[in-house]
Amino acid sequence: MELKIINKDGKETGKKVTLSDEVFGIEPNEHAIWMDVKQYLANQRQGTHKSKERAEINYTGKKLHRQKGTGGARHGSKRSPIFVGGGRVFGPRPKDYGFKLNKKVKTLAKRSILSARAAEGKVFVVEDFALDAPKTKDYSAFINAVGVSGKSLFVVDGIENNLYLSARNLPKTMVTEKNQVNIFDLVNAESILISENALNHLESILK
């Protein structure tokens, strides 16, 4: 697939780039995408949930009343789960929700979502540029000039501070460095913008 390279004003630069069919031209594998997103979200979970069981409750261990002769049920501890303030039965314990996913599957997932967006005409290659000052208005003008609607992800060669700060306040756009691209951000973005240098890097690591 061949794309025209545009500048920050949304105009064609006269240069073209040929996207790798191995990365942007495969048949999307939805299951691989689902598995990679599932792993990403699982890794975000802290897993620090914990409730006290009866052995951890700070109550007396004294027997509530005598075993027989009260006319009621026999009880041996106030820490029993049947009492208010007692321990919880099979309560949550700290755990790690992460799981292993083969590198080839993760690579296939990224290829799949990039290929899907490319087929929709939602991939744009942008000439590398920098902003003179951190102004949200300037980045918003850039997005509008490119003609992007909805959520967008801009993959750059290296985070340029003014560019990052300018985009930070816009709720539907995100700027990320080429080495920080993850499947969740790719799936979440309706349009993907890639700088020239970042494109070369992405194709090299995903082939």
Side-chain angles (χ1 to χ4, degrees):
M1 179 185 293
E2 193 173 70
L3 287 182
K4 296 177 180 178
I5 300 176
I6 57 179
N7 58 23
K8 67 176 183 178
D9 297 321
K11 298 178 181 178
E12 298 177 7
T13 60
K15 296 185 292 183
K16 294 183 180 180
V17 63
T18 301
L19 300 181
S20 171
D21 289 336
E22 294 180 59
V23 179
F24 293 91
I26 70 169
E27 181 68 28
N29 187 314
E30 294 185 2
H31 185 67
I33 296 173
W34 177 78
M35 286 294 294
D36 201 5
V37 171
K38 182 180 179 182
Q39 189 206 37
Y40 176 85
L41 294 177
N43 288 336
Q44 306 307 302
R45 300 184 67 175
Q46 291 185 328
T48 54
H49 38 41
K50 178 70 173 71
S51 66
K52 289 185 178 181
E53 299 182 355
R54 63 183 298 168
E56 299 170 304
I57 299 297
N58 189 23
Y59 272 162
T60 178
K62 181 182 176 182
K63 189 172 174 64
L64 272 72
H65 52 71
R66 60 181 180 165
Q67 181 83 346
K68 296 177 180 290
T70 64
R74 52 194 173 183
H75 295 296
S77 174
K78 184 68 173 175
R79 293 177 287 190
S80 172
I82 66 173
F83 293 111
V84 174
R88 182 171 173 183
V89 181
F90 304 129
R93 296 181 176 182
K95 65 175 289 186
D96 179 13
Y97 285 92
F99 60 91
K100 183 180 181 298
L101 191 62
N102 290 339
K103 186 177 179 180
K104 287 185 178 180
V105 177
K106 295 172 72 67
T107 300
L108 176 60
K110 289 186 176 69
R111 287 181 186 173
S112 296
I113 190 62
L114 288 171
S115 296
R117 293 291 181 264
E120 296 168 359
K122 296 294 186 179
V123 173
F124 304 87
V125 180
V126 183
E127 186 178 46
D128 290 275
F129 70 92
L131 297 178
D132 297 329
K135 289 186 178 180
T136 302
K137 181 175 67 175
D138 291 346
Y139 188 83
S140 181
F142 158 65
I143 291 295
N144 293 331
V146 175
V148 171
S149 60
K151 295 181 180 179
S152 65
L153 174 68
F154 188 16
V155 183
V156 295
D157 185 46
I159 287 293
E160 199 273 324
N161 200 44
N162 288 340
L163 186 63
Y164 171 74
L165 293 175
S166 298
R168 185 174 60 175
N169 202 36
L170 296 173
K172 290 187 176 182
T173 189
M174 181 178 180
V175 176
T176 187
E177 198 214 345
K178 61 187 179 184
N179 292 319
Q180 303 297 324
V181 176
N182 62 69
I183 189 65
F184 185 81
D185 291 338
L186 290 173
V187 171
N188 193 46
E190 298 171 46
S191 299
I192 301 173
L193 294 79
I194 309 173
S195 69
E196 285 185 83
N197 290 333
L199 176 64
N200 296 330
H201 176 77
L202 281 180
E203 290 186 335
S204 66
I205 64 173
L206 294 178
K207 281 185 179 179

